[in-house]
Every structure is written in C-alpha cells, then in structure tokens.
Amino acid sequence: DAVAFYRPISVQYCAYSWVAQLREDLPDEIGGRLFFGFDVPQLSPRIPIYCGNLSLPQSFSFCGQDHFSRESALWAFRRTNRLAMVNWPIGKAAIEPEVLKEENKVFDEIDFVEKRAAELLVQDKKNLKSGKNTQLCQEYLTDYSNSVARSVIDKWRELGDDSWVK
C-alpha cells in the first residue's frame, strides 16, 4: 500500500500564498479582494490587494526566485523568515507576534477603507455622468494596498536585520 502525501500549506519552501474573496454583494473594484503573502505563510502577513488596484509597489516586479535581490519584496520576507528558522524558538517569538500585529491592523481598518472606497466609487459614477472620467475609488484602494505592502516590507527588512544580530 502506498502512503498518500499531503502537503501542508505552511512549508519552508513556499514562495507565496493567497486567499481570494469574491464578494458579489459589492462592486467589483471593492468586492474582489486578495490577501497575499510572500514566502512561508505562517511567518508572513497577508497584504490586501483589490481587483480595483491600478498598480503594485515596484518591489513586486522583481521575482528573486533564482537569486537574492534587495529590490525584491519576496526577499524581504524570505531572508527574515529563513533567519527565523535558524533558531526557531527565538525566531518564532520574534516573527509570529509581528504577523498578528500587521494582520490585525488591516482587519481593524479594512471596513472603514472599503466604506470610503464605496463613497468614492459613487463619486466616480457621478463624475462619469457629467463627462469626467475619474478613478478615485481605484486610486484610493491602490494607495491603501501599496501603503500596507510598503510598511510590511519595511518591517520585515528591519526584522531581518535584527535577526542577523541575534
């Protein structure tokens, strides 16, 4: 008899993970939401990215799968998370609370962000009726997602630097 292999979600060789939410009760720009995380799911916070986003931070454009790159968002997480695994009790104690802190911050503010985005979408539709095509909602969601991404990337780079010392 063969033993079936079941791959856990959170493994050290995971490059990224995501959870998609497609909420039909909301406009596409807001209702389609992805929580995206680089590297090991247990050690990386999820970043909200909306269907209405117009862009992502430049660091998302650098793959880094085959080489280390300080320009790559992936390596902000990969470096820190690998260092955390060198001495797991210390690494876990340093990283896991930060993951929760970052994710809880997003969960605490996301209802407000989406309410504001919905208001801006109404304004976009009014503007379009008067002949002015605007993307206020999409610009707002893009700014929010990218702000969260840059903040988390900076934090993980800082944690990686601290891990070198430890």
Side-chain angles (χ1 to χ4, degrees):
D1 288 335
V3 175
F5 172 73
Y6 295 99
R7 180 191 176 276
I9 293 171
S10 189
V11 293
Q12 69 183 23
Y13 52 85
C14 187
Y16 62 89
S17 62
W18 49 268
V19 175
Q21 290 183 307
L22 306 173
R23 301 168 293 165
E24 66 182 19
D25 58 319
L26 293 169
D28 290 346
E29 296 87 350
I30 304 164
R33 179 172 71 187
L34 185 75
F35 287 100
F36 182 86
F38 284 104
D39 202 52
V40 180
Q42 181 181 357
L43 301 176
S44 300
R46 270 29 112 221
I47 299 165
I49 302 171
Y50 288 87
C51 286
N53 276 41
L54 300 170
S55 66
L56 293 168
Q58 184 66 26
S59 61
F60 279 54
S61 300
F62 296 97
C63 177
Q65 280 297 88
D66 61 350
H67 67 282
F68 175 78
S69 171
R70 291 193 188 282
E71 297 173 274
S72 171
L74 169 66
W75 274 101
F77 297 94
R78 182 168 286 167
R79 174 179 164 260
T80 301
N81 297 345
R82 293 303 181 275
L83 289 169
M85 287 186 257
V86 170
N87 187 335
W88 182 234
I90 292 173
K92 180 179 179 178
I95 300 296
E96 284 188 338
E98 294 297 331
V99 171
L100 288 173
K101 178 180 168 186
E102 296 297 336
E103 288 182 349
N104 286 335
K105 181 178 182 283
V106 167
F107 293 142
D108 287 345
E109 62 196 19
I110 208 156
D111 288 341
F112 172 82
V113 168
E114 291 181 357
K115 182 179 179 212
R116 180 67 183 134
E119 293 167 356
L120 292 169
L121 187 59
V122 168
Q123 185 62 48
D124 283 336
K125 290 177 181 180
K126 285 181 186 176
N127 291 346
L128 188 59
K129 284 183 182 179
S130 66
K132 183 180 178 189
N133 190 9
T134 60
Q135 295 179 308
L136 302 173
C137 171
Q138 291 177 273
E139 290 168 359
Y140 179 75
L141 290 173
T142 300
D143 289 345
Y144 173 69
S145 292
N146 290 350
S147 174
V148 170
R150 282 189 293 274
S151 174
V152 170
I153 289 165
D154 288 346
K155 181 63 178 180
W156 254 248
R157 286 183 176 138
E158 178 186 316
L159 289 169
D161 292 345
D162 290 347
S163 293
W164 272 116
V165 174
K166 291 178 183 169

